[in-house]
Amino acid sequence: MLYIAVLLLAILFIAYRRYYPVKRIQCIRESEAKELGRTVVDIRHYHEVHDSISIVIPYAYLKRFYSEIPQGSVHLIAGDRVELNLGVRVLRKKGFEVRSYELAACKRKGKKGVFDYGV
């Protein structure tokens, strides 16, 4: 019975880290983040990055190469919500202040900067 409880807790913890949305960050475009003076970090795979003017460190290498990111406010570009959640949690754990993000499939909707992800 104890093994089942431990296994269930482990599964819940992993699901929380991957799928529970990260709070207190704003969805804006890369160009707007540059105007605000934030460091832009792209955590998508190398073959998915085409026209980014940012620091490119794929999520798989983020724990190893986070020291290449200057301290301060960070704007994160991710491929999907799971990658975004994992990336934000890793960077916050390393002491970075992730203030905004952008998803690769993000489409602008309306005048106030609300985004539609097609989910």
Side-chain angles (χ1 to χ4, degrees), residues 52-97:
S52 183
I53 52 170
S54 60
I55 299 171
V56 179
I57 303 174
Y59 173 74
Y61 300 105
L62 197 57
K63 291 180 183 174
R64 195 177 330 160
F65 295 109
Y66 73 91
S67 60
E68 294 181 8
I69 304 169
Q71 287 292 329
S73 296
V74 174
H75 174 79
L76 205 62
I77 301 174
D80 58 7
R81 294 294 293 186
V82 173
E83 192 174 57
L84 174 70
N85 293 336
L86 291 171
V88 169
R89 288 189 170 99
V90 166
L91 288 176
R92 283 185 176 171
K93 192 177 198 181
K94 300 296 182 184
F96 292 95
E97 185 180 2

Side-chain angles (χ1 to χ4, degrees), residues 9-113:
L9 284 174
I11 290 171
L12 286 173
F13 178 72
I14 291 169
Y16 169 80
R17 282 189 47 209
R18 292 182 68 87
Y19 299 111
Y20 189 77
V22 178
K23 304 291 183 192
R24 299 183 314 265
I25 56 176
Q26 179 183 18
C27 183
I28 61 174
R29 295 284 183 201
E30 181 179 2
S31 58
E32 296 171 18
K34 280 286 194 185
E35 291 173 6
L36 293 171
R38 297 179 183 157
T39 304
V40 179
V41 179
D42 197 334
I43 61 170
R44 295 178 287 171
H45 298 289
Y46 288 120
H47 66 278
E48 293 176 1
V49 179
H50 301 291
D51 56 352
S52 183
I53 52 170
S54 60
I55 299 171
V56 179
I57 303 174
Y59 173 74
Y61 300 105
L62 197 57
K63 291 180 183 174
R64 195 177 330 160
F65 295 109
Y66 73 91
S67 60
E68 294 181 8
I69 304 169
Q71 287 292 329
S73 296
V74 174
H75 174 79
L76 205 62
I77 301 174
D80 58 7
R81 294 294 293 186
V82 173
E83 192 174 57
L84 174 70
N85 293 336
L86 291 171
V88 169
R89 288 189 170 99
V90 166
L91 288 176
R92 283 185 176 171
K93 192 177 198 181
K94 300 296 182 184
F96 292 95
E97 185 180 2
V98 181
R99 303 290 302 262
S100 57
Y101 70 94
E102 177 182 357
L103 294 178
C106 192
K107 296 177 186 160
R108 192 170 276 253
K109 172 181 157 184
K111 295 180 181 177
K112 295 184 179 178

